[in-house]
Amino acid sequence: MDSLDPTSPAALAPAVAIQRPPRIWKFWGTALWGLFVFAAMFVGQIAVVAWFVLQQEGPIDVASAVHVLGGGLTISLSVIMGLPAVLAALWLAIRLSRTPFADYLALRGTTWTNLLIGIVALAVLVLGWDQLSRATGRDATPGS
């Protein structure tokens, strides 16, 4: 039994952890995970709407739900609450692929030059869109 002898080469060899290769989802796997992420976003948004409908006084019917859905607070909170659900669904898919989160999403730092170019481009785009809206006679901001 060489492995029990402390001087044998088998006992001195370091244990090497065997890593499994990352899982690749391919087309159908990616499509199904995309549907799962969409469903998670939908559930996160509907939870906010349901909470507002249940908090309203009076009977629960379609008219009260439509009234709640027209509110700016309901719309903004439903969008905000949909995002953590999307993040959780993406985390699950990425975790099961055995790839680090930042590597899977290619989250890398950028240079200050790229950041400045992005900010300037965004400002030019927003101001240009506003001017185009005014030139065509439309309101730049919606009524809600």
Side-chain angles (χ1 to χ4, degrees):
M1 300 196 56
D2 289 333
S3 63
L4 296 178
D5 181 18
T7 59
S8 72
L12 298 176
V16 177
I18 298 173
Q19 288 186 334
R20 295 186 298 182
R23 181 176 288 153
I24 298 172
W25 295 120
K26 298 184 183 176
F27 177 76
W28 289 110
T30 302
L32 289 175
W33 277 114
L35 286 174
F36 179 72
V37 168
F38 177 77
M41 181 181 68
F42 184 73
V43 167
Q45 290 179 338
I46 290 298
V48 171
V49 172
W51 187 78
F52 274 112
V53 168
L54 293 174
Q55 293 300 317
Q56 226 181 12
E57 296 175 1
I60 298 174
D61 57 355
V62 175
S64 66
V66 168
H67 178 69
V68 166
L69 284 171
L73 181 64
T74 306
I75 293 170
S76 61
L77 287 179
S78 70
V79 170
I80 289 170
M81 288 307 296
L83 297 179
V86 165
L87 188 62
L90 285 174
W91 178 84
L92 179 64
I94 293 168
R95 179 81 176 166
L96 292 175
S97 74
R98 298 186 295 266
T99 305
F101 192 78
D103 289 344
Y104 193 90
L105 295 178
L107 298 176
R108 304 281 184 263
T110 187
T111 63
W112 289 104
T113 305
N114 285 340
L115 180 65
L116 183 63
I117 290 170
I119 291 171
V120 170
L122 182 62
V124 167
L125 180 68
V126 168
L127 292 173
W129 193 262
D130 186 45
Q131 292 301 321
L132 182 65
S133 295
R134 290 175 195 240
T136 58
R138 297 179 182 247
D139 288 333
T141 57
S144 63

